[in-house]
Amino acid sequence: MQKIKSLMSRQGLKSPQESVPEIKSPVENFRIPSKEELRELRENPTDPQAEQEIINSIEEIYFSNDSFDVVEHELQKLPSVLNLHDLEEYRDKLKQQQAVVSKKVADLILEKQAAYVKELERVTSLQTNLQLAAVICTNARRQLNIAKEGFTQASLGLLANQRKRQLLIGLLKSLRTIKTLQRTDVRLSEMLEEEDYPGAIQLCLECQKAASTFKHYSCISELNSKLQDTLEQIEEQLDVALSKTCKHFEVGHYTKVQLAYRLLGKTQTAMDQLHMHFTQAIHNTVFQVVLGYVELCAGNSDTKFQKLQYRDLCTHITPDSYIPCLSDLCKALWEVMLSYYRTMSWHEEHDNEESTPASDGHSDLKTDDPNFNRSYVKKKLEHGLSRIWQDVQLKAKTYLLGTDLSNFKYDDFIFVLDIISRLMQVGEEFCGSKSEVLQESIRKQSVNYFKSYHRIRLEELRMFLENETWELCPVKSNFSILQLHEFKFMQQSRSPSVSPSKQYTSSSAAAAGSLFDQYQNGGNPFEQQTDNKDDETEDVLAANGYESDELEKSVYQDDDSDSDVPEELKRDYVDEQTGDVPLKSVSKETLKIRKKSDYYLNKGNTLILTNTTLNVIRLVGKYMQMMNILKPIAFDVIHCMSQLFDYYLYAVYTFFGREDMYESTGLGLISSRLRTTLSRIQESLIDLEAPSETSGSLTTTEERKEKVPSPHLSHLVVLNSAETLYGLAERVVATESLVFLADQFECLQPHLDAMMPSAKKPFLQQFYSQTVSTASELRKPIYWIVAAKAIDYEQMLHLMASVKWDIKEIMSQHNVYIDTLLKEFEHFHKKLSEVSKRVRIPFQVSNVLWEHCIRLANRTIVEG
């Protein structure tokens, strides 16, 4: 240490502890480096990293605060056998460590020199200030002595009386104020009864402020505690008033409540409380609605239902009360959400008003930091939107899943979907939510319901087909599927208060504006309105298949007049092909006959369809109705719709087009596309196996549940009678009703394509290209059977065989078998005319029939 001090003295430094006794340190036991060594250290700079490594190599015990004997420590470390060379090396190492530490200490002292000087200056300044303070105190005492000697006792007495007078005047004012404070209790009660919360709070705060001024009076301390209790009571009533806005929002009422909270400086607290009240209001509202219906259906005054949880309570709803309860539930939830929407609107309007400088003197009602308050309130309200809607979704989901809807009637289930769809629309407008919770829950119910519903409808379709006599269903010529009750939803605009049959579309909803704006002043989007009877009725059926009795009479007169046509005229028409008669003179008569022949003319454009066809179209409308409301199951619904068409097509083919005779001819009546379609339908939809109790695994059983047994033709339909042209009327009705059904599916393709998910659209395109478009191809095989059986080609073949083909003589007249063939054609023509009196034979059908007849005749003549 002495060496260090000497080093400091050489540098011109003074130690602040020169007068302090030195503290003995274990470091002093080491040899202090000589001047030459220190000079050598200063003159020969070393590497800082090497110095740090040397310092790090020093044992930790040297850095401890505890004093210890260094010599003894080092001696104890010596080995039992001493080696001079090792001892010298270890001594040199200790010298080196000591030199580095000494240099480090010297550097640190030099580094802290400025701070030492500065601190010394501060101590000197403090000493000067203390001396100045002592002088000031001495002068003050001297002046006080002078003042004491200068004033007399009389002057001080006069001043004391004046002061006492002033105190008494102040006391009188205080007593009057206290008297007024004692009477404010009554006024506060009156203001609370009038729900003037801002006035009551302002009065109470003024009273508290006045009371704090006179708190040194004993009577005021009691009044102050009473005012505090009154203020707490006002806050409780204010909280109750705030909770009332959750169900029925009134602008005036809410304005008073918000102003009162602002006077209290608790705007943020009010927002927190408001969201708690909304959450509680949702729970209490739905619970009371469901409880009311459960108790009403139970028919007794048992209070056990009040103790149940909401989830358990929903399971006690009966099917009859399910829809009314759901409707009331949504109405109640709508009122809560509307109140929240109007609350947000109120804050937006008042934020805009507050953003402009106020000049009416109400600026004193603002809090110290209005921007922060406004930002907090805005964020809280925006965050609360999704929170409120999530609570609404969960309550609605719990109610939805509490009852099994698979046994509901179709209209009832559609009504449930309708209500939930409107609720989801409300949620989307409320907070922009896609309502995933509601969509998933309603999707589960819909899939379960639709599977059961579709299975029953397929069985019904099989029953219809097996009991169908293929008679014409009389409909008007201007019939359109949009006239049917099931398709009304495609025409009507989206209205929130329509019946299940009047579903709405999203495009028309956008035109109508926001539901919250539409019903802000009253009304409810979930109000159930009864449909007008005019809307329910369907005027699609015609009398006897014609628009009027006059038209029916005129048509049949035209048909009957065909029998008056002379045989010669008919022969001329036949001979027209040979060119024996001038074309012009015969074509006029031909046109006349064609006008009178029903199967050449679309008689009144009468549509050909059956009751079963109409039933399938109605089912398609119902399926689209369900799909329109619930788009997540659109693919499942369209797949089931395709099965309806597949089964109808397969049934028509099975009843009228399956014939072994033309299969062996190799005429190619069934195209490869139609054959592929029929094979696909048979594999995927038709259950060809007989039911067995033991055979088949569980997977096979599940697969068979998705299939339907092949239908059987009704025994009332006779297809083997030559008099009826082998059931031509029934064949025409069946085939053309299928073509009509395919045309309706073509018309609906844009609507189905719009509802189909993008990933599933190839299925829809494949269905139309491979199934719907093949419906008209069934005409060939079905009508071929009639053309093949109605004309006796075997007789013509025998006549051809009996002809002597003598080429030496050229006949001037045609052979006998040609006359026979022409007579067969005339007879077939008469039969067609008779059939056309029952069923209109379209132009395409007559073309196919005559084409088959000509091809069969040519085949017999050429290959016979």
Side-chain angles (χ1 to χ4, degrees), residues 80-302:
S80 56
V81 178
L82 300 177
N83 188 335
L84 179 62
H85 179 70
D86 293 341
L87 288 175
E88 288 178 350
E89 285 184 358
Y90 186 66
R91 182 195 63 184
D92 294 339
K93 180 181 178 182
L94 290 177
K95 283 182 179 181
Q96 187 181 12
Q97 288 178 351
Q98 186 179 19
V100 171
V101 169
S102 300
K103 184 177 181 298
K104 188 71 173 179
V105 171
D107 292 342
L108 290 174
I109 291 172
L110 291 173
E111 183 181 346
K112 300 297 181 179
Q113 179 185 0
Y116 168 79
V117 174
K118 185 176 180 181
E119 188 65 27
L120 192 61
E121 289 177 355
R122 288 180 60 190
V123 171
T124 306
S125 176
L126 179 61
Q127 184 178 4
T128 304
N129 290 336
L130 289 174
Q131 290 173 355
L132 180 61
V135 172
I136 292 173
C137 289
T138 304
N139 292 335
R141 287 180 180 176
R142 189 181 302 112
Q143 294 296 334
L144 284 175
N145 288 329
I146 294 172
K148 182 178 179 182
E149 294 173 357
F151 284 99
T152 61
Q153 189 173 0
S155 299
L156 293 175
L158 183 62
L159 290 174
N161 290 333
Q162 179 63 22
R163 179 173 175 274
K164 187 175 181 181
R165 180 176 179 274
Q166 293 294 335
L167 288 174
L168 289 175
I169 291 174
L171 178 61
L172 182 61
K173 290 181 179 179
S174 300
L175 292 175
R176 288 173 179 171
T177 304
I178 291 172
K179 184 178 180 181
T180 304
L181 291 176
Q182 295 287 354
R183 296 178 178 176
T184 55
D185 192 20
V186 179
R187 179 56 187 156
L188 282 174
S189 301
E190 292 176 356
M191 297 178 79
L192 288 178
E193 290 178 1
E194 297 170 0
E195 295 186 350
D196 185 11
Y197 303 109
I201 290 175
Q202 197 163 7
L203 178 61
C204 191
L205 291 176
E206 290 175 357
C207 291
Q208 277 191 328
K209 186 177 180 181
S212 63
T213 307
F214 306 108
K215 60 183 178 181
H216 48 281
Y217 298 108
S218 58
C219 61
I220 289 297
S221 61
E222 183 181 350
L223 177 63
N224 201 6
S225 62
K226 189 176 182 181
L227 285 172
Q228 185 62 34
D229 294 340
T230 304
L231 190 61
E232 292 176 359
Q233 182 184 355
I234 293 174
E235 288 188 24
E236 292 176 1
Q237 293 193 19
L238 197 59
D239 190 57
V240 174
L242 184 65
S243 66
K244 290 180 180 179
T245 63
C246 296
K247 294 183 180 180
H248 303 287
F249 182 89
E250 293 180 5
V251 176
H253 179 77
Y254 189 74
T255 304
K256 290 181 181 179
V257 172
Q258 281 297 320
L259 185 57
Y261 273 111
R262 185 167 298 184
L263 288 171
L264 289 173
K266 296 184 177 181
T267 307
Q268 296 183 10
T269 307
M271 282 296 102
D272 298 337
Q273 288 293 111
L274 183 63
H275 283 80
M276 291 176 58
H277 288 314
F278 268 106
T279 303
Q280 191 67 24
I282 291 172
H283 175 75
N284 292 340
T285 300
V286 297
F287 187 85
Q288 291 301 324
V289 170
V290 176
L291 178 63
Y293 276 92
V294 170
E295 290 181 342
L296 182 64
C297 296
N300 54 26
S301 58
D302 193 356

Side-chain angles (χ1 to χ4, degrees), residues 694-733:
T694 57
S695 63
S697 62
L698 180 62
T699 307
T700 307
T701 305
E702 290 297 327
E703 291 178 355
R704 290 186 61 186
K705 282 184 179 180
E706 304 296 329
K707 296 184 177 182
V708 189
S710 179
H712 302 285
L713 183 64
S714 172
H715 65 279
L716 299 176
V717 180
V718 180
L719 301 179
N720 299 322
S721 173
E723 295 299 323
T724 61
L725 279 182
Y726 302 94
L728 178 60
E730 288 81 2
R731 293 176 189 271
V732 169
V733 172

Side-chain angles (χ1 to χ4, degrees), residues 464 616 733 772 828:
F464 270 104
V616 172
V733 172
V772 177
F828 183 64

Side-chain angles (χ1 to χ4, degrees), residues 63-80:
F63 296 100
S64 63
N65 294 326
D66 300 334
S67 60
F68 69 101
D69 191 350
V70 179
V71 177
E72 184 181 356
H73 173 71
E74 292 297 335
L75 289 176
Q76 286 179 355
K77 289 170 59 179
L78 294 176
S80 56

Side-chain angles (χ1 to χ4, degrees), residues 619-761:
L619 279 179
V620 170
K622 290 181 178 180
Y623 283 21
M624 289 187 65
Q625 203 173 3
M626 187 180 300
M627 179 171 51
N628 185 50
I629 299 174
L630 196 65
K631 289 182 175 58
I633 66 167
F635 172 72
D636 299 324
V637 176
I638 292 178
H639 177 67
C640 293
M641 285 172 56
S642 69
Q643 288 186 344
L644 295 176
F645 185 85
D646 289 347
Y647 196 70
Y648 194 93
L649 183 145
Y650 185 82
V652 172
Y653 165 74
T654 306
F655 292 166
F656 303 103
R658 180 179 288 176
E659 186 72 28
D660 295 335
M661 185 169 63
Y662 70 74
E663 293 288 348
S664 60
T665 60
L667 294 175
L669 296 173
I670 298 183
S671 64
S672 59
R673 184 175 61 166
L674 179 58
R675 194 181 302 276
T676 303
T677 299
L678 292 171
S679 300
R680 177 188 61 78
I681 296 173
Q682 183 169 312
E683 291 176 3
S684 62
L685 188 61
I686 307 302
D687 185 9
L688 299 176
E689 300 180 11
S692 174
E693 295 181 1
T694 57
S695 63
S697 62
L698 180 62
T699 307
T700 307
T701 305
E702 290 297 327
E703 291 178 355
R704 290 186 61 186
K705 282 184 179 180
E706 304 296 329
K707 296 184 177 182
V708 189
S710 179
H712 302 285
L713 183 64
S714 172
H715 65 279
L716 299 176
V717 180
V718 180
L719 301 179
N720 299 322
S721 173
E723 295 299 323
T724 61
L725 279 182
Y726 302 94
L728 178 60
E730 288 81 2
R731 293 176 189 271
V732 169
V733 172
T735 309
E736 300 312 308
S737 66
L738 175 64
V739 174
F740 175 79
L741 185 61
D743 291 340
Q744 306 314 306
F745 267 84
E746 292 285 356
C747 295
L748 295 174
Q749 185 177 7
H751 301 279
L752 299 179
D753 190 66
M755 297 178 186
M756 194 71 158
S758 300
K760 302 292 184 180
K761 284 188 178 181

